[in-house]
Every structure is written in structure tokens, then in C-alpha cells.
Amino acid sequence: MKSGPAEGERGPDTLARVSSELREDFDARVVTGSVDVPVPDELEEFTRQTGSELGGLDGLVANIGGKRGGGLARLDPWRLACDLE
């Protein structure tokens, strides 16, 4: 398997390539999507659809990312992640 996406390479093409590699390399069932995680309705709908497609979910990791300049070491990481919008 190739390395994951670098910053700026998180678009639909990269998502399709990486999910295809996971399916091929690990014979895995993979569902991908782009969801605005801080918007509960979007996350709930994606979770519902994914659970339906896979026959249920045992767990879910909602990954959120972003950048903010300066002083990050002083900020609470959880609050920072939730306030990215």
C-alpha cells in the first residue's frame, strides 16, 4: 500500500485511490465520504448510510483536520478541533 495523502491531496480523487488500494491490498469493505463533522445532521446521516451499507457498525472515527496559526500549544486540542468551522 502506498503512503496516505499529503496535505492538499484530500480530494475525491485521492479518496477513490486510497479506498481502492485498501480494497485491493486488504480485501476490505471501504466506504468513503466527505462530511462536515461539526454539523451533527451530516455526520449522523453519513453514519446511518454507512451502517446500512456495511450491515452495521462496531465503531466510528470521525476525523477532523485543519490549521490555525500561532500559539497552538496553549490551546486545548479538543476545543480547537471542535471549533474548526
Side-chain angles (χ1 to χ4, degrees):
M1 183 172 160
K2 298 169 186 62
S3 63
E7 184 159 338
E9 296 182 13
R10 296 186 177 119
D13 293 340
T14 301
L15 210 52
R17 178 183 56 80
V18 171
S19 61
S20 177
E21 290 173 5
L22 288 169
R23 287 182 189 101
E24 184 178 313
D25 293 351
F26 300 102
D27 192 31
R29 294 170 63 193
V30 179
V31 177
T32 63
S34 180
V35 178
D36 194 356
V37 173
V39 179
D41 290 343
E42 284 190 40
L43 184 56
E44 288 173 19
E45 180 60 22
F46 180 75
T47 302
R48 207 175 1 267
Q49 289 177 350
T50 302
S52 177
E53 188 171 327
L54 295 175
L57 296 174
D58 293 325
L60 173 70
V61 175
N63 186 23
I64 189 170
K67 282 186 164 182
R68 294 221 173 147
L72 290 178
R74 293 174 294 175
L75 299 175
D76 175 53
W78 177 253
R79 188 73 261 147
L80 177 63
C82 291
D83 289 342
L84 278 173
E85 44 182 6

